[in-house]
Structures are given as C-alpha cells and as structure tokens.
Coordinates of all heavy atoms in Angstrom, one line a residue:
M1 N 0.9 -1.2 0.0 CA 0.0 0.0 0.0 C 0.9 1.2 0.0 O 1.8 1.3 0.8 CB -0.9 0.0 1.2 CG -2.0 1.0 1.2 SD -3.4 0.4 2.0 CE -3.6 1.7 3.2
P2 N 0.6 2.2 -0.9 CA 1.5 3.4 -0.9 C 1.3 4.2 0.3 O 0.3 4.2 1.0 CB 1.0 4.1 -2.2 CG -0.4 3.6 -2.5 CD -0.5 2.2 -1.9
E3 N 2.4 5.0 0.5 CA 2.4 5.9 1.7 C 1.3 6.9 1.5 O 1.2 7.6 0.5 CB 3.7 6.6 1.7 CG 3.9 7.8 2.6 CD 3.7 7.4 4.0 OE1 4.3 6.4 4.4 OE2 3.0 8.1 4.7
P4 N 0.4 7.1 2.5 CA -0.8 8.0 2.3 C -0.4 9.4 2.5 O -1.2 10.3 2.0 CB -1.7 7.5 3.4 CG -0.9 6.9 4.4 CD 0.3 6.3 3.7
Q5 N 0.7 9.7 3.1 CA 1.0 11.2 3.4 C 1.4 11.9 2.1 O 2.3 11.5 1.4 CB 2.1 11.3 4.4 CG 2.5 12.7 4.7 CD 3.5 12.9 5.8 OE1 3.8 11.9 6.4 NE2 3.9 14.1 6.1
P6 N 0.6 12.9 1.8 CA 0.9 13.7 0.6 C 2.0 14.7 0.9 O 2.3 15.1 2.0 CB -0.4 14.4 0.3 CG -1.0 14.6 1.6 CD -0.6 13.4 2.5
S7 N 2.7 15.2 -0.1 CA 3.7 16.3 0.0 C 3.6 17.1 -1.2 O 3.2 16.7 -2.3 CB 5.1 15.7 0.3 OG 5.5 14.9 -0.8
V8 N 4.0 18.4 -1.0 CA 3.9 19.4 -2.1 C 4.7 18.9 -3.3 O 5.9 18.5 -3.2 CB 4.4 20.7 -1.6 CG1 4.5 21.7 -2.7 CG2 3.4 21.3 -0.5
G9 N 4.1 19.0 -4.5 CA 4.7 18.7 -5.7 C 4.5 17.3 -6.2 O 4.8 16.9 -7.3
R10 N 3.9 16.4 -5.3 CA 3.6 15.0 -5.8 C 2.4 15.1 -6.7 O 1.5 15.9 -6.6 CB 3.3 14.1 -4.5 CG 4.4 13.9 -3.6 CD 5.6 13.1 -4.2 NE 5.1 11.7 -4.6 CZ 5.0 10.7 -3.7 NH1 5.3 10.8 -2.5 NH2 4.6 9.5 -4.1
I11 N 2.3 14.1 -7.6 CA 1.2 14.0 -8.5 C 0.3 12.9 -7.9 O 0.7 11.8 -7.6 CB 1.6 13.7 -9.9 CG1 2.3 14.9 -10.4 CG2 0.4 13.3 -10.8 CD1 2.8 14.8 -11.9
V12 N -1.0 13.3 -7.8 CA -2.0 12.3 -7.3 C -3.2 12.3 -8.2 O -3.1 13.0 -9.3 CB -2.5 12.8 -5.8 CG1 -1.3 12.7 -4.9 CG2 -3.2 14.1 -5.9
H13 N -4.2 11.6 -7.9 CA -5.5 11.6 -8.7 C -6.5 12.3 -7.9 O -6.7 12.1 -6.7 CB -6.0 10.2 -8.9 CG -5.3 9.4 -10.0 ND1 -5.7 8.2 -10.5 CD2 -4.2 9.8 -10.8 CE1 -4.9 7.8 -11.5 NE2 -4.0 8.8 -11.7
Y14 N -7.2 13.2 -8.6 CA -8.4 13.9 -8.1 C -9.6 13.2 -8.8 O -9.6 13.0 -10.1 CB -8.4 15.4 -8.4 CG -9.6 16.1 -8.1 CD1 -9.9 16.5 -6.7 CD2 -10.6 16.4 -9.0 CE1 -11.1 17.1 -6.4 CE2 -11.8 17.0 -8.7 CZ -12.0 17.4 -7.4 OH -13.2 18.0 -7.1
V15 N -10.7 12.9 -8.1 CA -11.9 12.3 -8.7 C -12.9 13.4 -9.0 O -13.3 14.1 -8.1 CB -12.5 11.3 -7.8 CG1 -13.7 10.6 -8.5 CG2 -11.5 10.2 -7.4
S16 N -13.1 13.6 -10.3 CA -14.1 14.7 -10.7 C -15.5 14.3 -10.3 O -15.8 13.1 -10.1 CB -14.0 14.9 -12.2 OG -14.5 13.7 -12.9
H17 N -16.3 15.3 -10.1 CA -17.7 15.0 -9.8 C -18.4 14.7 -11.2 O -18.3 15.5 -12.1 CB -18.4 16.3 -9.2 CG -17.9 16.5 -7.8 ND1 -18.3 15.8 -6.7 CD2 -17.0 17.4 -7.3 CE1 -17.8 16.3 -5.6 NE2 -16.9 17.3 -6.0
G18 N -19.1 13.6 -11.2 CA -19.9 13.3 -12.4 C -21.1 14.2 -12.4 O -21.5 14.8 -11.4
T19 N -21.8 14.2 -13.5 CA -23.1 14.9 -13.5 C -24.2 14.0 -12.8 O -24.1 12.8 -12.9 CB -23.6 15.2 -15.0 OG1 -23.5 14.0 -15.7 CG2 -22.7 16.2 -15.6
P20 N -25.2 14.7 -12.2 CA -26.1 13.9 -11.4 C -26.9 12.8 -12.2 O -27.2 11.7 -11.8 CB -27.1 14.9 -10.9 CG -26.3 16.2 -10.9 CD -25.4 16.1 -12.0
G21 N -27.2 13.1 -13.5 CA -27.9 12.2 -14.3 C -27.0 11.1 -14.9 O -27.5 10.2 -15.5
G22 N -25.7 11.2 -14.7 CA -24.8 10.1 -15.1 C -24.3 10.3 -16.6 O -23.7 9.4 -17.1
E23 N -24.6 11.5 -17.2 CA -24.1 11.7 -18.5 C -22.6 11.7 -18.5 O -22.0 11.2 -19.5 CB -24.6 13.0 -19.1 CG -26.1 13.2 -19.2 CD -26.8 13.7 -18.0 OE1 -26.2 13.7 -16.9 OE2 -27.9 14.3 -18.1
Y24 N -22.0 12.3 -17.5 CA -20.6 12.2 -17.3 C -20.3 11.5 -16.0 O -20.7 12.0 -15.0 CB -20.0 13.6 -17.3 CG -20.1 14.4 -18.6 CD1 -21.2 15.2 -18.8 CD2 -19.2 14.2 -19.7 CE1 -21.3 15.9 -20.1 CE2 -19.4 14.8 -20.9 CZ -20.4 15.7 -21.1 OH -20.6 16.4 -22.2
P25 N -19.6 10.4 -16.1 CA -19.3 9.7 -14.8 C -18.1 10.4 -14.2 O -17.4 11.2 -14.8 CB -18.8 8.3 -15.3 CG -18.3 8.5 -16.7 CD -19.1 9.7 -17.3
S26 N -17.9 10.2 -12.9 CA -16.8 10.8 -12.3 C -15.5 10.1 -12.8 O -15.6 8.9 -13.1 CB -16.9 10.7 -10.7 OG -17.0 9.4 -10.3
Q27 N -14.4 10.8 -12.9 CA -13.2 10.3 -13.5 C -12.0 10.7 -12.7 O -12.0 11.8 -12.1 CB -13.1 10.8 -14.9 CG -14.0 10.1 -15.9 CD -13.8 10.6 -17.3 OE1 -13.8 11.8 -17.6 NE2 -13.4 9.7 -18.2
C28 N -11.0 9.9 -12.8 CA -9.7 10.3 -12.2 C -9.0 11.4 -13.1 O -9.0 11.3 -14.3 CB -8.7 9.1 -12.1 SG -9.2 7.9 -10.9
R29 N -8.5 12.4 -12.4 CA -7.7 13.5 -13.1 C -6.4 13.6 -12.4 O -6.3 13.4 -11.2 CB -8.5 14.8 -13.1 CG -9.8 14.8 -13.7 CD -9.8 14.5 -15.2 NE -11.0 14.8 -15.9 CZ -11.4 14.3 -17.0 NH1 -10.5 13.4 -17.7 NH2 -12.5 14.6 -17.6
A30 N -5.4 14.0 -13.2 CA -4.1 14.2 -12.6 C -4.2 15.5 -11.8 O -4.8 16.5 -12.2 CB -3.0 14.4 -13.7
A31 N -3.5 15.5 -10.7 CA -3.5 16.7 -9.8 C -2.1 16.8 -9.1 O -1.5 15.8 -8.8 CB -4.6 16.7 -8.8
I32 N -1.7 18.0 -9.0 CA -0.4 18.3 -8.3 C -0.7 18.8 -6.9 O -1.6 19.7 -6.8 CB 0.5 19.3 -9.1 CG1 0.8 18.7 -10.5 CG2 1.7 19.6 -8.3 CD1 1.4 19.7 -11.4
V33 N -0.1 18.3 -5.9 CA -0.3 18.8 -4.5 C 0.3 20.1 -4.4 O 1.6 20.3 -4.6 CB 0.3 17.8 -3.5 CG1 0.1 18.3 -2.1 CG2 -0.4 16.4 -3.6
T34 N -0.5 21.1 -4.0 CA 0.0 22.5 -3.8 C 0.3 22.9 -2.4 O 1.0 23.8 -2.1 CB -1.0 23.5 -4.4 OG1 -2.3 23.3 -3.8 CG2 -1.1 23.3 -5.9
E35 N -0.4 22.2 -1.5 CA -0.2 22.5 0.0 C -0.7 21.3 0.8 O -1.5 20.5 0.3 CB -0.9 23.8 0.4 CG -2.4 23.7 0.4 CD -3.1 24.9 0.9 OE1 -2.5 25.8 1.4 OE2 -4.4 24.9 0.8
V36 N -0.1 21.1 1.9 CA -0.5 20.1 2.9 C -0.8 20.9 4.2 O 0.2 21.2 4.9 CB 0.5 19.0 3.1 CG1 0.0 18.0 4.0 CG2 0.9 18.4 1.7
P37 N -2.0 21.2 4.5 CA -2.3 22.0 5.7 C -1.9 21.3 6.9 O -1.8 20.0 7.0 CB -3.8 22.2 5.6 CG -4.3 21.2 4.7 CD -3.2 20.8 3.7
E38 N -1.7 22.1 8.0 CA -1.2 21.5 9.3 C -2.4 20.8 10.0 O -2.2 19.8 10.7 CB -0.7 22.6 10.1 CG 0.1 22.1 11.4 CD 0.8 23.2 12.1 OE1 0.8 24.4 11.6 OE2 1.3 22.9 13.2
F39 N -3.6 21.3 9.8 CA -4.7 20.8 10.5 C -5.9 20.5 9.6 O -6.0 21.1 8.5 CB -5.2 21.8 11.6 CG -4.2 22.1 12.6 CD1 -3.5 23.3 12.6 CD2 -3.9 21.2 13.6 CE1 -2.5 23.6 13.5 CE2 -3.0 21.5 14.6 CZ -2.3 22.7 14.5
L40 N -6.7 19.5 10.0 CA -7.9 19.2 9.3 C -9.0 20.2 9.6 O -9.0 20.7 10.7 CB -8.3 17.8 9.6 CG -7.4 16.6 9.2 CD1 -7.8 15.3 9.9 CD2 -7.3 16.5 7.7
T41 N -9.9 20.4 8.7 CA -11.0 21.3 8.9 C -12.3 20.7 8.8 O -13.4 21.3 8.9 CB -10.9 22.5 7.9 OG1 -10.9 22.0 6.6 CG2 -9.6 23.3 8.1
A42 N -12.4 19.4 8.4 CA -13.7 18.7 8.2 C -14.0 17.8 9.3 O -13.1 17.2 9.9 CB -13.6 17.9 6.9
E43 N -15.2 17.7 9.7 CA -15.7 16.8 10.7 C -15.4 15.4 10.2 O -15.5 15.1 9.0 CB -17.2 17.0 11.0 CG -17.5 18.3 11.6 CD -16.8 18.6 13.0 OE1 -16.4 17.6 13.6 OE2 -16.7 19.7 13.4
P44 N -15.1 14.4 11.1 CA -15.2 14.5 12.5 C -13.8 14.9 13.1 O -13.7 14.8 14.3 CB -15.6 13.1 12.9 CG -14.9 12.2 11.9 CD -15.0 13.0 10.6
F45 N -12.9 15.3 12.3 CA -11.5 15.6 12.8 C -11.2 17.1 12.7 O -10.0 17.4 12.6 CB -10.5 14.7 12.1 CG -10.8 13.2 12.2 CD1 -11.2 12.5 11.1 CD2 -10.6 12.6 13.4 CE1 -11.4 11.1 11.2 CE2 -10.8 11.2 13.6 CZ -11.2 10.5 12.5
D46 N -12.2 17.9 12.7 CA -11.9 19.4 12.6 C -11.0 19.8 13.7 O -11.2 19.6 14.9 CB -13.3 20.1 12.8 CG -13.1 21.6 12.5 OD1 -12.1 22.0 11.9 OD2 -14.1 22.3 12.8
G47 N -9.9 20.4 13.4 CA -8.9 20.9 14.3 C -7.8 19.9 14.7 O -6.8 20.3 15.3
C48 N -8.0 18.7 14.2 CA -6.9 17.6 14.5 C -5.8 17.8 13.5 O -6.0 18.3 12.4 CB -7.5 16.2 14.4 SG -8.8 15.8 15.6
P49 N -4.6 17.3 13.9 CA -3.5 17.4 13.0 C -3.8 16.7 11.7 O -4.5 15.6 11.7 CB -2.3 16.7 13.7 CG -2.7 16.8 15.1 CD -4.2 16.7 15.2
N50 N -3.3 17.2 10.6 CA -3.6 16.6 9.3 C -3.0 15.2 9.3 O -1.9 15.0 9.8 CB -2.9 17.4 8.2 CG -3.5 17.1 6.8 OD1 -4.3 16.3 6.6 ND2 -3.0 17.8 5.8
G51 N -3.7 14.2 8.8 CA -3.2 12.8 8.8 C -3.8 12.0 9.9 O -3.6 10.8 10.0
T52 N -4.6 12.6 10.8 CA -5.3 11.9 11.8 C -6.1 10.8 11.3 O -6.9 11.0 10.4 CB -6.1 12.8 12.7 OG1 -5.3 13.8 13.3 CG2 -6.9 12.1 13.8
E53 N -5.9 9.5 11.7 CA -6.6 8.4 11.3 C -6.6 8.3 9.7 O -7.6 7.8 9.1 CB -8.1 8.4 11.8 CG -8.1 8.6 13.3 CD -9.0 7.6 14.0 OE1 -9.8 6.9 13.4 OE2 -9.0 7.6 15.3
G54 N -5.5 8.7 9.1 CA -5.4 8.5 7.7 C -6.1 9.5 6.9 O -6.2 9.4 5.6
Q55 N -6.7 10.5 7.5 CA -7.4 11.6 6.8 C -6.4 12.7 6.4 O -6.1 13.5 7.3 CB -8.5 12.2 7.7 CG -9.6 11.2 8.2 CD -10.3 10.6 7.0 OE1 -10.9 11.3 6.2 NE2 -10.3 9.3 6.9
W56 N -6.0 12.6 5.2 CA -5.0 13.6 4.7 C -5.7 14.6 3.8 O -6.1 14.2 2.7 CB -3.9 12.9 3.9 CG -2.9 12.2 4.8 CD1 -2.8 10.9 5.1 CD2 -1.9 12.9 5.6 NE1 -1.8 10.7 6.0 CE2 -1.2 11.9 6.3 CE3 -1.5 14.2 5.7 CZ2 -0.1 12.2 7.2 CZ3 -0.4 14.5 6.6 CH2 0.2 13.5 7.3
A57 N -5.8 15.8 4.2 CA -6.3 16.9 3.4 C -5.1 17.5 2.6 O -4.0 17.6 3.1 CB -7.0 18.0 4.2
A58 N -5.4 17.9 1.4 CA -4.4 18.5 0.5 C -5.0 19.5 -0.4 O -6.1 19.4 -0.8 CB -3.7 17.4 -0.3
G59 N -4.2 20.6 -0.7 CA -4.5 21.5 -1.7 C -4.1 20.9 -3.0 O -3.0 20.3 -3.1
L60 N -4.9 21.1 -4.1 CA -4.5 20.5 -5.4 C -4.7 21.4 -6.5 O -5.6 22.3 -6.5 CB -5.5 19.3 -5.6 CG -5.5 18.1 -4.7 CD1 -6.5 17.1 -5.1 CD2 -4.1 17.5 -4.5
A61 N -3.8 21.3 -7.5 CA -4.0 21.9 -8.8 C -4.4 20.8 -9.7 O -3.7 19.9 -10.0 CB -2.7 22.6 -9.3
V62 N -5.7 20.8 -10.1 CA -6.3 19.7 -10.8 C -6.2 20.0 -12.3 O -6.5 21.1 -12.8 CB -7.8 19.5 -10.5 CG1 -8.4 18.3 -11.3 CG2 -7.9 19.2 -9.0
L63 N -5.6 19.1 -13.0 CA -5.4 19.2 -14.5 C -6.4 18.5 -15.3 O -6.4 17.3 -15.5 CB -4.0 18.7 -14.8 CG -2.8 19.2 -13.9 CD1 -1.5 18.5 -14.4 CD2 -2.7 20.7 -13.9
N64 N -7.5 19.2 -15.6 CA -8.5 18.6 -16.5 C -8.2 18.9 -17.9 O -7.5 19.8 -18.3 CB -9.9 19.3 -16.2 CG -10.4 19.0 -14.9 OD1 -10.8 17.8 -14.6 ND2 -10.5 19.9 -14.0
P65 N -8.7 18.0 -18.8 CA -8.5 18.3 -20.3 C -9.0 19.6 -20.7 O -8.4 20.2 -21.6 CB -9.2 17.1 -21.0 CG -9.3 16.1 -19.9 CD -9.4 16.8 -18.6
E66 N -10.0 20.1 -20.0 CA -10.6 21.4 -20.4 C -9.9 22.6 -19.7 O -10.2 23.7 -20.1 CB -12.1 21.4 -20.1 CG -12.9 20.3 -20.6 CD -12.8 19.0 -19.7 OE1 -12.3 19.2 -18.6 OE2 -13.4 18.0 -20.1
G67 N -9.1 22.3 -18.7 CA -8.5 23.4 -18.0 C -8.2 23.0 -16.6 O -8.5 21.9 -16.2
C68 N -7.5 23.9 -15.9 CA -7.0 23.6 -14.6 C -7.9 24.3 -13.6 O -8.5 25.4 -13.8 CB -5.6 24.1 -14.4 SG -4.5 23.4 -15.5
F69 N -8.0 23.7 -12.4 CA -8.6 24.5 -11.3 C -7.9 24.1 -10.0 O -7.2 23.1 -9.9 CB -10.1 24.3 -11.2 CG -10.6 23.0 -10.7 CD1 -10.8 22.8 -9.3 CD2 -10.8 22.0 -11.6 CE1 -11.2 21.6 -8.9 CE2 -11.3 20.7 -11.1 CZ -11.5 20.5 -9.7
F70 N -8.1 25.0 -9.0 CA -7.4 24.9 -7.8 C -8.4 24.6 -6.7 O -9.5 25.2 -6.7 CB -6.6 26.1 -7.5 CG -5.5 26.4 -8.5 CD1 -5.8 27.1 -9.7 CD2 -4.3 25.8 -8.4 CE1 -4.9 27.3 -10.7 CE2 -3.3 26.0 -9.4 CZ -3.6 26.8 -10.5
N71 N -8.0 23.7 -5.8 CA -8.9 23.3 -4.7 C -8.1 23.2 -3.5 O -7.0 22.6 -3.5 CB -9.5 22.0 -5.1 CG -11.0 21.9 -4.7 OD1 -11.4 22.5 -3.9 ND2 -11.7 21.0 -5.4
R72 N -8.7 23.6 -2.3 CA -8.0 23.5 -1.1 C -8.8 22.5 -0.2 O -10.0 22.3 -0.3 CB -7.9 24.8 -0.4 CG -7.2 25.9 -1.2 CD -7.0 27.2 -0.6 NE -5.9 27.1 0.4 CZ -5.5 28.2 1.0 NH1 -6.1 29.3 0.9 NH2 -4.4 28.1 1.8
D73 N -8.0 21.9 0.8 CA -8.7 21.0 1.7 C -9.4 19.8 1.0 O -10.6 19.6 1.4 CB -9.6 21.8 2.7 CG -8.8 22.4 3.8 OD1 -7.8 21.8 4.2 OD2 -9.2 23.5 4.2
V74 N -8.8 19.2 0.1 CA -9.4 18.1 -0.6 C -9.2 16.9 0.3 O -8.0 16.6 0.7 CB -8.9 17.9 -2.0 CG1 -9.5 16.7 -2.7 CG2 -9.1 19.1 -2.8
A75 N -10.2 16.1 0.6 CA -10.1 14.9 1.4 C -9.5 13.7 0.7 O -9.8 13.5 -0.5 CB -11.4 14.6 2.1
Y76 N -8.7 12.9 1.4 CA -8.3 11.6 0.8 C -9.4 10.6 0.9 O -10.1 10.5 1.9 CB -7.1 11.2 1.6 CG -6.5 9.8 1.3 CD1 -5.7 9.7 0.2 CD2 -6.9 8.7 2.0 CE1 -5.2 8.4 -0.2 CE2 -6.4 7.4 1.6 CZ -5.6 7.3 0.6 OH -5.1 6.1 0.2
S77 N -9.5 9.8 -0.1 CA -10.5 8.7 -0.1 C -10.0 7.5 -0.9 O -9.9 7.7 -2.2 CB -11.9 9.1 -0.5 OG -12.7 8.0 -0.6
E78 N -9.8 6.4 -0.3 CA -9.4 5.2 -1.1 C -10.6 4.7 -1.9 O -10.4 4.0 -2.9 CB -9.0 4.1 -0.2 CG -7.6 4.2 0.3 CD -7.2 3.0 1.2 OE1 -7.9 2.0 1.2 OE2 -6.2 3.1 1.9
E79 N -11.8 5.1 -1.5 CA -13.0 4.7 -2.2 C -13.3 5.5 -3.5 O -14.2 5.2 -4.3 CB -14.3 4.7 -1.3 CG -14.3 3.6 -0.3 CD -13.4 3.9 0.9 OE1 -13.3 5.0 1.3 OE2 -12.7 2.9 1.3
Q80 N -12.4 6.5 -3.7 CA -12.5 7.3 -4.9 C -13.8 8.0 -5.1 O -14.4 7.9 -6.2 CB -12.0 6.5 -6.1 CG -10.7 5.8 -5.9 CD -10.1 5.1 -7.1 OE1 -10.7 5.2 -8.2 NE2 -9.0 4.4 -6.9
H81 N -14.4 8.6 -4.1 CA -15.6 9.3 -4.2 C -15.3 10.6 -5.0 O -14.1 11.1 -5.0 CB -16.1 9.7 -2.8 CG -16.5 8.6 -2.0 ND1 -17.4 7.6 -2.3 CD2 -16.0 8.2 -0.7 CE1 -17.5 6.7 -1.4 NE2 -16.6 7.0 -0.4
G82 N -16.3 11.2 -5.7 CA -16.1 12.4 -6.3 C -15.7 13.5 -5.4 O -16.2 13.6 -4.3
G83 N -14.7 14.3 -5.8 CA -14.3 15.4 -5.0 C -13.2 15.1 -4.0 O -12.9 15.8 -3.1
T84 N -12.6 13.9 -4.1 CA -11.5 13.4 -3.2 C -10.3 13.1 -4.0 O -10.3 13.1 -5.2 CB -11.9 12.2 -2.4 OG1 -12.1 11.1 -3.3 CG2 -13.2 12.4 -1.6
W85 N -9.2 12.9 -3.3 CA -7.9 12.5 -4.0 C -7.5 11.1 -3.5 O -7.9 10.7 -2.4 CB -6.9 13.6 -3.8 CG -6.3 13.6 -2.4 CD1 -6.7 14.3 -1.4 CD2 -5.1 12.9 -2.0 NE1 -5.9 14.1 -0.3 CE2 -4.9 13.2 -0.6 CE3 -4.2 12.0 -2.6 CZ2 -3.9 12.7 0.1 CZ3 -3.2 11.4 -1.8 CH2 -3.0 11.8 -0.5
H86 N -6.6 10.5 -4.3 CA -6.0 9.2 -4.0 C -4.7 9.1 -4.8 O -4.5 9.8 -5.7 CB -6.9 8.0 -4.2 CG -7.4 7.9 -5.6 ND1 -8.5 8.5 -6.1 CD2 -6.8 7.3 -6.7 CE1 -8.7 8.3 -7.4 NE2 -7.7 7.5 -7.8
W87 N -3.9 8.1 -4.4 CA -2.7 7.9 -5.1 C -3.0 7.1 -6.4 O -3.9 6.3 -6.4 CB -1.7 7.0 -4.3 CG -1.2 7.8 -3.1 CD1 -1.5 7.6 -1.8 CD2 -0.3 8.9 -3.1 NE1 -0.9 8.5 -1.0 CE2 -0.1 9.3 -1.8 CE3 0.4 9.6 -4.1 CZ2 0.7 10.4 -1.4 CZ3 1.3 10.6 -3.8 CH2 1.4 11.0 -2.4
P88 N -2.2 7.5 -7.4 CA -2.4 6.7 -8.7 C -2.2 5.2 -8.5 O -1.3 4.9 -7.7 CB -1.4 7.3 -9.7 CG -1.0 8.6 -9.1 CD -1.2 8.5 -7.6
E89 N -2.9 4.4 -9.2 CA -2.6 3.0 -9.1 C -1.2 2.7 -9.7 O -0.8 3.3 -10.6 CB -3.7 2.2 -10.0 CG -5.1 2.3 -9.4 CD -5.8 3.6 -9.7 OE1 -5.3 4.4 -10.5 OE2 -6.8 3.8 -9.1
R90 N -0.6 1.8 -9.0 CA 0.8 1.4 -9.5 C 0.6 0.5 -10.7 O -0.1 -0.5 -10.6 CB 1.5 0.7 -8.3 CG 1.7 1.7 -7.2 CD 3.1 1.7 -6.7 NE 3.4 2.9 -5.9 CZ 4.0 2.8 -4.8 NH1 4.5 1.6 -4.3 NH2 4.2 3.9 -4.0
A91 N 1.4 0.7 -11.7 CA 1.4 -0.1 -12.9 C 2.1 -1.4 -12.6 O 2.9 -1.5 -11.7 CB 2.1 0.6 -14.0
Ligands
ZN1 ZN1 -7.4 7.2 -9.8

C-alpha cells in the first residue's frame, strides 16, 4: 500500500464530480499537490493534525483536459468518491 501522506509537488489523482444524471461519470484526473495543511478542517476531525486516522487533506491543482482549477482541503479517499484525491494505481 502506498504511503498515504501527501507532500507538495507530488502527483495524485483527483476524482471529478460526475453529472447527477450520469451523462458524465466521475473520472480520475491528474493533480499536483500544492499544499498540505497543518490541521484538518472537516468533521469528525476538525482541528486535529492533518493525517489523523489517515485523513489527509491536501490542496490540489487539478489538471482537467478542459482546463485547470485549484482546490484546497481536498479529502483523501481510497473509495475514490467524487471530490476526493487518492494515489495513482501502481502499474
Ligand atoms: Zn485514480
């Protein structure tokens, strides 16, 4: 299992939000880690050190085919829910 701790400059996957009707499924996009905040801001670990119980929040520069966008406090999820990040699968 890859090391879950993100660091600035690493490339991870961001899961795009699909459309509600399913016309566009959520997809993995390449993203560069832009920041690793010191503390978590989402419940149930609001105020806890980043990485508590494997919850790693990261700022990301997401590289979509249509353009880039920036996102802060993106949650880690192995389940690859829309709007979360994970490590790329190893080839
Ligand atoms: Zn992925």
Side-chain angles (χ1 to χ4, degrees):
M1 191 148 121
E3 169 62 45
Q5 177 171 356
S7 57
V8 169
R10 296 290 299 276
I11 294 182
V12 299
H13 280 188
Y14 173 82
V15 183
S16 68
H17 291 282
T19 50
E23 297 92 338
Y24 294 96
S26 57
Q27 286 185 301
C28 289
R29 299 299 190 199
I32 301 169
V33 177
T34 56
E35 66 176 355
V36 181
E38 191 172 354
F39 298 102
L40 296 169
T41 57
E43 296 298 343
F45 300 112
D46 189 13
C48 294
N50 200 359
T52 298
E53 309 228 351
Q55 300 299 305
W56 283 105
L60 301 178
V62 181
L63 311 179
N64 288 293
E66 307 85 6
C68 300
F69 73 90
F70 298 88
N71 217 338
R72 304 183 79 176
D73 279 328
V74 180
Y76 175 82
S77 171
E78 281 182 13
E79 285 76 43
Q80 306 187 7
H81 300 301
T84 65
W85 72 271
H86 57 269
W87 292 107
E89 291 77 14
R90 298 232 163 132

